[in-house]
Amino acid sequence: MEKERLNAERIQDLCATTWLGKEICYYDSIDSTNAQARRLSEEGAAHGTVIVSDIQTGGKGRRGRTWVSPGGSGIWFSLLLYPDIPVERAHLLTLVAAMAVVKAIREKTALEPRIKWPNDVILSGKKTCGILTEMIPRVDGKNRVIVGIGINTHTRAFDPEIADTATSLVLEGAKEVDRAELLAVVLEQFEKYYDKYGKTLDVSIFREEYESFLVNKDQSVRVEDPGGAYRGIARGINEDGELLVECEQGLVAVNAGEVSVRGIYGYV
Ligand code: BTN
């Protein structure tokens, strides 16, 4: 098991990035890597700092949910970013992160994960990775962003409430997953897309590739809108990263902040 160890030195040695993860803060246990990223940012941590923990005692999911994060079973990490982009476009970093995770899992295993818009990484119709992007607004306008990523790598069994919708790389048949190696590739991929995306301020540069991984493309979906749920066919994303859904009213652009999208027969 020595080879599989997750620690800052191993991740740094394996990681061929230019700026992302030059500072890696590793913990055996922490409440939440997103919460720790926020604290470190207040203490002056640099853009590109990566916070990783083997265990999270208070892992946070989207919509106020808990993210169960036991030791040795996954990669729980956050990227602290000080992007030179308007705050309303920062959510696109979530799509960038989903792409990076999909590419890394495809590179390091024989699995072929896909993306459930906007940011769940899916294997066999179940979620293996979730992403929580949070904003740190600042009076000087130089807003900061925390991209928190949880990848279930070695989990063998999930709590009953999520057992139907959650999976892990090992449960899907991946052999000898090395968390530090996988994390290093995620960071390399993220840095590559971030550098390109920062220049164009839209997702057009990777739209085609993102759509090729989109598990719900051309599928029937149910859009859970606070104003009322409706059905349609997901057709892809626009340059703002919104999901284009063909429904009775025509082509509707769905914004991830307001709604959730499910398959009509289940989670995907
Ligand atoms: C989701 O609900 O799908 C998002 C889950 C995000 C979990 C990750 S684990 C690392 C980081 N720290 C947290 O507290 N949450 C994110």
Side-chain angles (χ1 to χ4, degrees), residues 27-112:
Y27 305 87
D28 287 330
S29 178
I30 197 108
D31 52 351
S32 149
T33 57
N34 270 29
Q36 181 63 1
R38 192 177 290 265
R39 290 187 289 260
L40 291 175
S41 150
E42 280 159 16
E43 291 167 16
H47 168 68
T49 300
V50 174
I51 298 93
V52 193
S53 186
D54 186 38
I55 298 171
Q56 290 187 121
T57 53
K60 298 186 287 181
R62 292 176 78 209
R63 299 172 202 280
R65 294 192 195 105
T66 302
W67 184 263
V68 181
S69 321
S73 59
I75 318 176
W76 327 125
F77 64 108
S78 301
L79 316 177
L80 183 57
L81 304 167
Y82 304 159
D84 196 11
I85 55 175
V87 67
E88 65 275 10
R89 302 196 71 78
H91 70 278
L92 295 173
L93 295 173
T94 307
L95 278 69
V96 174
M99 281 282 292
V101 171
V102 162
K103 299 278 280 200
I105 295 174
R106 284 173 180 244
E107 187 177 319
K108 298 306 290 183
T109 73
L111 302 173
E112 297 191 341

XYZ file of all heavy atoms in Angstrom, residues 27-112:
650
model
N -3.635 17.248 4.410
C -4.061 16.945 5.790
C -4.495 15.485 5.851
O -5.076 14.972 4.897
C -5.248 17.825 6.198
C -4.950 19.302 6.026
C -5.183 19.936 4.795
C -4.393 20.047 7.052
C -4.868 21.274 4.618
C -4.073 21.387 6.881
C -4.314 21.991 5.658
O -3.989 23.312 5.484
N -4.209 14.847 6.984
C -4.763 13.500 7.176
C -6.268 13.606 7.403
O -7.027 12.741 6.969
C -4.092 12.807 8.367
C -2.669 12.375 8.030
O -2.414 12.079 6.838
O -1.814 12.353 8.935
N -6.678 14.667 8.094
C -8.104 14.871 8.347
C -8.385 16.371 8.494
O -7.602 17.091 9.103
C -8.508 14.141 9.638
O -9.876 14.366 9.905
N -9.495 16.811 7.935
C -9.891 18.232 8.028
C -11.413 18.266 7.937
O -12.028 17.303 7.478
C -9.217 19.061 6.892
C -9.259 20.554 7.183
C -9.869 18.821 5.542
C -7.934 21.117 7.552
N -12.028 19.383 8.351
C -13.498 19.444 8.233
C -13.921 19.378 6.758
O -14.661 18.484 6.346
C -14.069 20.678 8.955
C -13.408 22.000 8.541
O -12.391 21.968 7.818
O -13.924 23.063 8.919
N -13.420 20.339 5.975
C -13.758 20.378 4.547
C -12.606 21.085 3.828
O -12.152 22.136 4.303
C -15.068 21.153 4.350
O -15.090 21.827 3.114
N -12.151 20.547 2.735
C -11.042 21.203 2.018
C -11.491 22.557 1.468
O -10.687 23.482 1.355
C -10.481 20.311 0.887
O -11.544 19.975 0.003
C -9.823 19.054 1.443
N -12.801 22.686 1.131
C -13.289 23.999 0.679
C -13.210 25.010 1.825
O -12.791 26.151 1.617
C -14.749 23.898 0.201
C -14.847 23.569 -1.275
O -13.959 22.912 -1.825
N -15.918 23.977 -1.917
N -13.601 24.598 3.022
C -13.546 25.503 4.183
C -12.095 25.866 4.484
O -11.777 27.021 4.775
C -14.209 24.841 5.391
N -11.207 24.900 4.384
C -9.796 25.173 4.653
C -9.209 26.090 3.576
O -8.393 26.963 3.878
C -9.014 23.848 4.734
C -7.536 23.984 5.041
C -7.242 24.607 6.420
O -8.150 24.929 7.193
N -5.980 24.804 6.707
N -9.652 25.924 2.339
C -9.177 26.804 1.257
C -9.567 28.248 1.570
O -8.778 29.175 1.385
C -9.785 26.369 -0.073
N -10.790 28.435 2.060
C -11.261 29.784 2.405
C -10.397 30.376 3.522
O -9.967 31.522 3.450
C -12.726 29.696 2.853
C -13.435 31.020 2.963
C -14.888 30.785 3.329
N -15.628 30.192 2.224
C -16.354 30.886 1.341
N -16.420 32.195 1.444
N -17.009 30.290 0.374
N -10.098 29.562 4.537
C -9.275 30.060 5.656
C -7.870 30.412 5.163
O -7.309 31.448 5.499
C -9.207 29.003 6.771
C -10.544 28.822 7.511
C -10.399 27.906 8.715
N -10.182 26.516 8.356
C -11.136 25.572 8.356
N -12.376 25.865 8.714
N -10.847 24.335 8.019
N -7.304 29.526 4.335
C -5.941 29.778 3.843
C -5.891 31.016 2.962
O -4.916 31.761 2.963
C -5.414 28.555 3.080
C -5.127 27.323 3.937
C -4.731 26.140 3.063
C -4.018 27.607 4.952
N -6.960 31.236 2.211
C -7.016 32.416 1.353
C -6.962 33.685 2.213
O -6.284 34.651 1.873
C -8.291 32.343 0.517
O -8.761 33.591 0.207
N -7.683 33.652 3.352
C -7.650 34.820 4.263
C -6.255 35.027 4.845
O -5.862 36.135 5.170
C -8.657 34.623 5.404
C -10.074 34.952 4.978
C -11.134 34.299 5.864
O -10.787 33.845 6.972
O -12.290 34.236 5.408
N -5.495 33.926 4.946
C -4.130 34.035 5.494
C -3.092 34.352 4.413
O -1.898 34.321 4.675
C -3.746 32.712 6.181
C -4.527 32.458 7.460
C -4.377 31.024 7.959
O -3.450 30.312 7.506
O -5.200 30.605 8.785
N -3.568 34.551 3.175
C -2.643 34.991 2.126
C -2.137 33.892 1.204
O -1.145 34.099 0.490
N -2.789 32.730 1.208
C -2.350 31.647 0.308
C -2.404 32.108 -1.147
O -3.235 32.942 -1.525
C -3.230 30.417 0.497
N -1.526 31.549 -1.963
C -1.381 32.002 -3.353
C -2.417 31.364 -4.285
O -2.946 30.280 -4.001
C 0.020 31.640 -3.846
N -2.668 32.058 -5.401
C -3.447 31.501 -6.516
C -2.832 30.159 -6.918
O -1.613 30.045 -7.033
C -3.357 32.497 -7.692
C -3.841 31.978 -8.999
N -5.161 31.696 -9.240
C -3.177 31.684 -10.150
C -5.298 31.266 -10.498
N -4.107 31.252 -11.064
N -3.674 29.144 -7.070
C -3.164 27.837 -7.496
C -2.843 26.898 -6.348
O -2.449 25.755 -6.579
N -3.063 27.370 -5.102
C -2.833 26.475 -3.957
C -3.851 25.331 -4.015
O -5.028 25.546 -4.314
C -2.993 27.249 -2.626
O -2.033 28.307 -2.600
C -2.798 26.348 -1.421
N -3.384 24.119 -3.735
C -4.265 22.945 -3.741
C -4.341 22.394 -2.320
O -3.308 22.227 -1.662
C -3.746 21.872 -4.714
C -4.575 20.591 -4.613
C -3.779 22.398 -6.153
N -5.557 22.151 -1.842
C -5.769 21.653 -0.483
C -6.342 20.232 -0.619
O -7.345 20.029 -1.295
C -6.761 22.569 0.280
C -6.161 23.976 0.401
C -7.081 22.020 1.658
C -6.541 24.918 -0.680
N -5.671 19.270 0.008
C -6.082 17.859 -0.119
C -6.196 17.258 1.273
O -5.361 17.543 2.139
C -5.009 17.023 -0.853
C -5.546 15.650 -1.261
C -4.431 17.738 -2.042
N -7.204 16.405 1.476
C -7.276 15.701 2.763
C -7.667 14.244 2.529
O -8.465 13.937 1.644
C -8.296 16.387 3.668
O -8.257 15.806 4.942
N -7.099 13.362 3.362
C -7.474 11.945 3.250
C -8.899 11.736 3.767
O -9.662 10.956 3.197
C -6.482 11.089 4.040
C -6.741 9.609 3.847
O -7.086 9.210 2.712
O -6.614 8.848 4.827
N -9.221 12.460 4.859
C -10.564 12.364 5.465
C -11.159 13.772 5.536
O -10.439 14.724 5.829
C -10.475 11.831 6.919
C -9.876 10.425 6.939
C -11.837 11.868 7.616
C -9.550 9.920 8.346
N -12.471 13.891 5.259
C -13.175 15.141 5.579
C -14.242 14.796 6.616
O -15.051 13.880 6.404
C -13.861 15.732 4.353
C -12.923 16.292 3.306
C -13.682 17.010 2.206
O -13.481 18.176 1.963
N -14.550 16.298 1.525
N -14.243 15.539 7.719
C -15.248 15.261 8.754
C -16.528 16.065 8.511
O -17.566 15.760 9.097
C -14.680 15.608 10.145
O -14.196 16.966 10.098
C -13.530 14.683 10.523
N -16.450 17.088 7.638
C -17.641 17.885 7.326
C -17.670 18.229 5.855
O -17.855 19.395 5.495
N -17.476 17.232 5.003
C -17.454 17.453 3.552
C -18.791 18.032 3.093
O -19.855 17.597 3.514
N -18.709 19.035 2.216
C -19.921 19.723 1.763
C -20.240 19.364 0.314
O -19.350 19.331 -0.531
C -19.716 21.248 1.818
C -19.461 21.787 3.207
C -19.407 23.313 3.199
C -18.140 23.850 2.567
N -18.066 25.326 2.568
N -21.521 19.122 0.061
C -21.975 18.893 -1.306
C -22.766 20.095 -1.779
O -22.907 21.091 -1.052
N -23.303 20.019 -2.990
C -24.132 21.114 -3.494
C -25.473 21.115 -2.768
O -25.869 20.117 -2.187
C -24.360 20.948 -5.002
C -23.084 21.152 -5.813
C -23.342 20.870 -7.282
N -24.025 21.966 -7.932
C -24.852 21.839 -8.972
N -25.107 20.651 -9.465
N -25.428 22.889 -9.517
N -26.152 22.238 -2.836
C -27.491 22.403 -2.247
C -27.541 21.994 -0.775
O -28.476 21.330 -0.326
C -28.525 21.589 -3.030
C -28.618 22.038 -4.467
C -29.485 21.130 -5.307
N -29.136 21.275 -6.695
C -29.549 22.269 -7.486
N -30.339 23.175 -7.011
N -29.165 22.332 -8.743
N -26.471 22.341 -0.035
C -26.447 22.107 1.407
C -26.304 20.653 1.830
O -26.447 20.320 3.006
N -26.040 19.775 0.863
C -25.907 18.356 1.216
C -24.551 18.071 1.854
O -23.626 18.866 1.760
C -26.064 17.477 -0.020
C -27.458 17.543 -0.614
C -27.631 16.428 -1.640
N -28.800 16.699 -2.462
C -28.765 17.140 -3.721
N -27.604 17.318 -4.322
N -29.860 17.379 -4.398
N -24.438 16.893 2.469
C -23.171 16.442 3.044
C -22.457 15.611 1.993
O -23.103 14.921 1.203
C -23.481 15.535 4.256
O -24.252 16.299 5.171
C -22.236 15.040 4.934
N -21.113 15.688 1.981
C -20.341 14.811 1.079
C -19.557 13.849 1.969
O -18.642 14.242 2.674
C -19.411 15.631 0.199
C -18.675 14.813 -0.812
C -17.397 14.333 -0.693
C -19.154 14.351 -2.078
N -17.058 13.616 -1.810
C -18.103 13.606 -2.677
C -20.365 14.484 -2.775
C -18.241 13.007 -3.939
C -20.484 13.887 -4.026
C -19.437 13.163 -4.593
N -19.963 12.601 1.973
C -19.342 11.598 2.841
C -17.927 11.323 2.336
O -17.740 10.984 1.166
C -20.196 10.304 2.863
C -19.565 9.258 3.776
C -21.619 10.619 3.298
N -16.920 11.492 3.230
C -15.516 11.478 2.782
C -14.616 10.654 3.710
O -13.749 11.199 4.400
C -14.981 12.916 2.739
O -15.918 13.838 2.263
N -14.791 9.334 3.749
C -13.956 8.520 4.640
C -12.518 8.392 4.136
O -12.251 8.603 2.948
C -14.645 7.150 4.621
C -15.790 7.246 3.685
C -15.736 8.547 2.965
N -11.611 8.004 5.034
C -10.196 7.884 4.671
C -9.922 6.747 3.707
O -10.602 5.720 3.733
N -8.960 6.950 2.822
C -8.512 5.896 1.903
C -9.503 5.561 0.809
O -9.277 4.634 0.024
N -10.615 6.296 0.722
C -11.650 5.871 -0.222
C -11.850 6.827 -1.390
O -12.586 6.512 -2.321
C -12.966 5.673 0.511
O -13.324 6.878 1.109
N -11.188 7.989 -1.311
C -11.405 8.933 -2.401
C -10.362 10.026 -2.395
O -9.441 10.032 -1.580
N -10.526 10.966 -3.337
C -9.648 12.144 -3.364
C -10.546 13.342 -3.097
O -11.438 13.656 -3.894
C -8.948 12.328 -4.735
C -8.460 10.984 -5.294
C -7.769 13.278 -4.605
C -7.851 11.105 -6.687
N -10.306 13.991 -1.961
C -11.103 15.156 -1.574
C -10.158 16.351 -1.635
O -9.212 16.444 -0.856
C -11.675 14.987 -0.159
C -12.015 13.577 0.239
C -11.567 12.897 1.329
C -12.904 12.653 -0.437
N -12.087 11.621 1.372
C -12.905 11.447 0.296
C -13.684 12.725 -1.598
C -13.651 10.329 -0.077
C -14.428 11.600 -1.980
C -14.407 10.448 -1.219
N -10.396 17.262 -2.566
C -9.441 18.362 -2.725
C -10.115 19.631 -3.260
O -11.202 19.573 -3.850
C -8.268 17.948 -3.626
C -8.645 17.623 -5.058
C -8.312 18.487 -6.088
C -9.304 16.451 -5.378
C -8.630 18.202 -7.418
C -9.640 16.144 -6.700
C -9.299 17.018 -7.714
N -9.428 20.750 -3.029
C -9.947 22.050 -3.480
C -8.836 22.838 -4.152
O -7.681 22.786 -3.724
C -10.465 22.864 -2.291
O -11.483 22.159 -1.623
N -9.219 23.575 -5.179
C -8.293 24.446 -5.897
C -8.632 25.876 -5.515
O -9.791 26.292 -5.634
C -8.461 24.275 -7.412
C -8.600 22.844 -7.939
C -8.821 22.861 -9.456
C -7.376 22.013 -7.584
N -7.644 26.602 -5.038
C -7.857 28.003 -4.664
C -7.389 28.865 -5.833
O -6.214 28.827 -6.203
C -7.059 28.306 -3.396
C -7.191 29.694 -2.793
C -8.648 30.039 -2.474
C -6.352 29.785 -1.515
N -8.328 29.612 -6.429
C -8.020 30.329 -7.673
C -8.375 31.801 -7.558
O -9.417 32.155 -6.991
C -8.832 29.718 -8.829
C -8.639 28.204 -9.040
C -9.711 27.661 -9.976
C -7.252 27.898 -9.576
N -7.526 32.640 -8.094
C -7.788 34.078 -8.117
C -7.887 34.490 -9.585
O -6.975 35.103 -10.137
C -6.656 34.839 -7.413
C -6.392 34.389 -5.975
C -5.179 34.653 -5.354
C -7.361 33.710 -5.244
C -4.944 34.255 -4.039
C -7.131 33.295 -3.939
C -5.925 33.573 -3.338
O -5.693 33.166 -2.050
N -8.994 34.107 -10.230
C -9.066 34.284 -11.680
C -9.323 35.726 -12.055
O -10.049 36.441 -11.368
C -10.260 33.414 -12.076
C -11.100 33.325 -10.855
C -10.233 33.581 -9.662
N -8.775 36.105 -13.182
C -8.995 37.453 -13.670
C -10.202 37.425 -14.598
O -10.110 37.764 -15.771
C -7.731 37.937 -14.397
C -7.744 39.439 -14.595
O -8.610 40.104 -14.000
O -6.895 39.928 -15.351
N -11.330 36.948 -14.084
C -12.546 36.847 -14.893
C -13.711 37.368 -14.065
O -13.668 37.329 -12.835
C -12.833 35.384 -15.337
C -12.883 34.445 -14.117
C -11.822 34.902 -16.348
C -13.266 33.029 -14.460
N -14.775 37.891 -14.721
C -15.912 38.411 -13.960
C -16.557 37.309 -13.123
O -16.596 36.142 -13.544
C -16.880 38.904 -15.037
C -16.178 38.827 -16.319
C -14.982 37.963 -16.166
N -17.091 37.703 -11.983
C -17.615 36.719 -11.046
C -18.750 35.891 -11.669
O -18.889 34.709 -11.389
C -18.040 37.424 -9.731
C -19.224 38.345 -9.935
C -18.297 36.428 -8.638
N -19.538 36.523 -12.570
C -20.674 35.786 -13.140
C -20.228 34.666 -14.094
O -21.010 33.828 -14.481
C -21.685 36.731 -13.817
C -21.180 37.475 -15.034
C -20.445 38.776 -14.685
O -20.159 39.013 -13.495
O -20.148 39.541 -15.615
N -18.948 34.667 -14.467
C -18.478 33.596 -15.350
C -17.676 32.531 -14.592
O -17.282 31.519 -15.167
C -17.632 34.174 -16.486
C -18.403 35.197 -17.322
C -17.731 35.474 -18.620
N -17.807 34.361 -19.553
C -18.875 34.049 -20.271
N -19.973 34.724 -20.150
N -18.843 33.024 -21.107
N -17.487 32.781 -13.319
C -16.642 31.863 -12.554
C -17.239 30.456 -12.471
O -16.501 29.468 -12.335
C -16.400 32.421 -11.158
N -18.586 30.346 -12.590
C -19.194 29.011 -12.504
C -18.705 28.097 -13.627
O -18.777 26.881 -13.523
C -20.726 29.110 -12.525
C -21.260 29.521 -13.866
N -21.312 30.832 -14.272
C -21.722 28.790 -14.902
C -21.802 30.886 -15.498
N -22.063 29.650 -15.904
N -18.202 28.715 -14.709
C -17.720 27.888 -15.820
C -16.500 27.058 -15.414
O -16.197 26.047 -16.040
C -17.395 28.759 -17.029
C -18.617 29.463 -17.631
C -18.194 30.424 -18.707
C -19.593 28.440 -18.186
N -15.842 27.478 -14.357
C -14.698 26.691 -13.879
C -15.148 25.300 -13.426
O -14.375 24.346 -13.423
C -13.995 27.419 -12.730
C -13.353 28.743 -13.133
C -12.819 29.479 -11.923
C -12.232 28.497 -14.138
N -16.410 25.196 -13.054
C -16.975 23.903 -12.672
C -16.978 22.951 -13.872
O -16.664 21.771 -13.745
C -18.421 24.111 -12.164
O -18.403 25.104 -11.160
C -18.999 22.849 -11.601
N -17.339 23.495 -15.037
C -17.341 22.673 -16.244
C -15.914 22.266 -16.613
O -15.667 21.146 -17.057
C -17.986 23.418 -17.420
C -19.512 23.401 -17.478
C -20.132 24.215 -16.376
C -20.021 23.894 -18.817
N -14.996 23.207 -16.424
C -13.580 22.932 -16.693
C -13.107 21.775 -15.792
O -12.424 20.848 -16.231
C -12.719 24.193 -16.425
C -11.251 23.891 -16.557
C -13.118 25.320 -17.364
N -13.529 21.849 -14.521
C -13.112 20.815 -13.570
C -13.682 19.445 -13.967
O -12.970 18.422 -13.899
C -13.574 21.189 -12.166
N -14.938 19.414 -14.388
C -15.549 18.138 -14.790
C -14.784 17.536 -15.972
O -14.508 16.324 -16.011
C -17.018 18.339 -15.141
N -14.422 18.389 -16.921
C -13.644 17.926 -18.081
C -12.312 17.333 -17.635
O -11.875 16.286 -18.112
C -13.330 19.107 -19.006
C -14.438 19.537 -19.888
S -14.617 18.441 -21.281
C -13.111 18.786 -22.162
N -11.647 18.057 -16.720
C -10.323 17.622 -16.261
C -10.418 16.259 -15.570
O -9.568 15.388 -15.773
C -9.744 18.662 -15.310
N -11.472 16.063 -14.770
C -11.626 14.788 -14.052
C -11.897 13.657 -15.047
O -11.298 12.574 -14.954
C -12.758 14.887 -12.996
C -13.063 13.517 -12.403
C -12.376 15.874 -11.890
N -12.775 13.909 -16.010
C -13.087 12.877 -17.015
C -11.817 12.476 -17.773
O -11.518 11.286 -17.950
C -14.180 13.376 -17.988
C -14.221 12.546 -19.256
C -15.532 13.347 -17.312
N -11.052 13.472 -18.193
C -9.832 13.180 -18.962
C -8.836 12.392 -18.110
O -8.189 11.458 -18.594
C -9.174 14.489 -19.425
C -10.033 15.329 -20.309
C -10.011 14.893 -21.735
C -8.778 15.406 -22.435
N -8.953 15.400 -23.888
N -8.711 12.766 -16.846
C -7.738 12.096 -15.978
C -8.142 10.645 -15.720
O -7.299 9.740 -15.779
C -7.618 12.862 -14.667
N -9.413 10.404 -15.451
C -9.861 9.017 -15.194
C -9.668 8.181 -16.462
O -9.235 7.027 -16.408
C -11.333 8.978 -14.715
C -11.473 9.672 -13.362
C -11.834 7.531 -14.621
C -12.911 9.825 -12.869
N -9.940 8.772 -17.623
C -9.752 8.037 -18.885
C -8.275 7.725 -19.115
O -7.934 6.689 -19.681
C -10.338 8.826 -20.067
C -11.849 8.741 -20.104
C -12.470 9.639 -21.166
N -13.916 9.486 -21.131
C -14.660 8.985 -22.125
N -14.102 8.607 -23.244
N -15.966 8.864 -21.992
N -7.408 8.652 -18.688
C -5.964 8.430 -18.891
C -5.410 7.371 -17.929
O -4.578 6.547 -18.308
C -5.216 9.757 -18.690
C -3.748 9.657 -19.049
C -3.022 10.991 -18.921
O -3.573 12.036 -19.314
O -1.881 10.976 -18.417
N -5.894 7.366 -16.681
C -5.274 6.510 -15.667
C -5.987 5.180 -15.462
O -5.492 4.314 -14.734
C -5.219 7.243 -14.311
C -4.389 8.518 -14.304
C -2.974 8.339 -14.804
C -2.075 7.562 -13.888
N -0.682 7.490 -14.426
N -7.163 4.996 -16.047
C -7.874 3.720 -15.911
C -8.433 3.342 -17.287
O -8.360 4.118 -18.237
C -9.082 3.823 -14.935
O -10.125 4.573 -15.583
C -8.719 4.492 -13.624
N -9.045 2.155 -17.346
C -9.670 1.744 -18.616
C -11.134 2.182 -18.660
O -11.872 1.820 -19.581
C -9.562 0.226 -18.755
N -11.552 2.935 -17.669
C -12.961 3.341 -17.593
C -13.252 4.513 -18.531
O -12.344 5.247 -18.908
C -13.311 3.735 -16.155
C -13.079 2.650 -15.100
C -13.302 3.197 -13.696
C -13.999 1.455 -15.355
N -14.523 4.682 -18.875
C -14.907 5.764 -19.792
C -16.008 6.621 -19.173
O -17.165 6.543 -19.580
C -15.344 5.173 -21.127
C -14.216 4.425 -21.805
C -14.519 4.046 -23.235
O -15.710 4.028 -23.614
O -13.557 3.780 -23.957
